[in-house]
Amino acid sequence: SRTLADDAWCEDAEGRGDRVVACEVRETVLRTDALDVTVMNGALTVTEWDRPDVLVRARVVATADDEAVAWRRVRETTVSTTEGLIRAEAPRHRDGSASVSFEIFAPKATDLTAAALNGPVHVEGLDGTIRATATNGPVCLVKLSGDVEVNATSLTVLGESAPLPFQLLPAASRPEAFS
């Protein structure tokens, strides 16, 4: 695994008003055929690629009134990728916390369970068992095949000519992904 403080993905990290922004990207390579990803405050993108391994890129962004505090918040944020179980934990502070977004590249046959509490989920090109949940953000599915189930308030499906097998659950029957 490696950490990149000058990654191009950090260029669009934004703060509020005159707050200082600290950002770094952490990369990890995994060997797994199933991913279970939960994002509490950030975006999740999973895209098919033609390699046998999985590349997990986590962008950690923190804001504060001063640069040292913003960077301390980035360092305090943990990202775990053990056995395909991908999580981030950012300590909460009275005046804000860090956010973590994931950009993941995986083989086409990867099974995926993806959940986002506060942010979008985008899944593209996979052919497996896919479960996607977004509590406060849209889900976008592009060129998927396999067994797909979606639990979201907003859904976009883009595919080729054949309809995709997916199920959009009504709000009353949605499972709690974040308890």
Side-chain angles (χ1 to χ4, degrees):
S1 106
R2 66 183 185 153
T3 300
L4 309 165
D6 60 351
D7 191 276
W9 195 13
C10 283
E11 291 175 10
D12 66 347
E14 297 177 5
R16 292 187 183 122
D18 60 350
R19 295 177 60 88
V20 176
V21 177
C23 177
E24 73 179 19
V25 175
R26 302 173 189 172
E27 293 185 343
T28 304
V29 176
L30 309 172
R31 287 279 207 186
T32 185
D33 58 358
L35 297 170
D36 183 333
V37 187
T38 299
V39 180
M40 297 305 288
N41 187 23
L44 169 60
T45 300
V46 182
T47 305
E48 173 226 351
W49 72 348
D50 61 358
R51 293 182 48 172
D53 51 4
V54 174
L55 173 63
V56 178
R57 290 173 42 89
R59 182 180 76 168
V60 180
V61 176
T63 61
D65 291 328
D66 117 347
E67 187 172 5
V69 172
W71 280 107
R72 186 176 71 239
R73 288 183 182 165
V74 167
R75 287 189 308 276
E76 291 173 346
T77 301
T78 60
V79 175
S80 171
T81 59
T82 306
E83 296 181 12
L85 185 66
I86 300 169
R87 304 284 188 271
E89 188 171 330
R92 298 195 80 43
H93 297 279
R94 207 173 68 207
D95 61 342
S97 65
S99 67
V100 180
S101 293
F102 288 104
E103 179 180 51
I104 300 172
F105 299 91
K108 185 173 189 69
T110 302
D111 292 334
L112 173 67
T113 300
L117 177 62
N118 189 24
V121 175
H122 179 100
V123 183
E124 185 168 344
L126 299 183
D127 178 11
T129 300
I130 299 164
R131 303 290 178 257
T133 301
T135 303
N136 185 23
V139 173
C140 180
L141 308 175
V142 180
K143 297 182 181 177
L144 300 182
S145 54
D147 178 16
V148 179
E149 184 178 296
V150 178
N151 176 355
T153 54
S154 174
L155 173 67
T156 302
V157 178
L158 303 171
E160 307 209 290
S161 56
L164 297 174
F166 71 89
Q167 180 179 7
L168 183 60
L169 300 175
S173 68
R174 293 183 185 148
E176 288 298 318
F178 305 96
S179 47

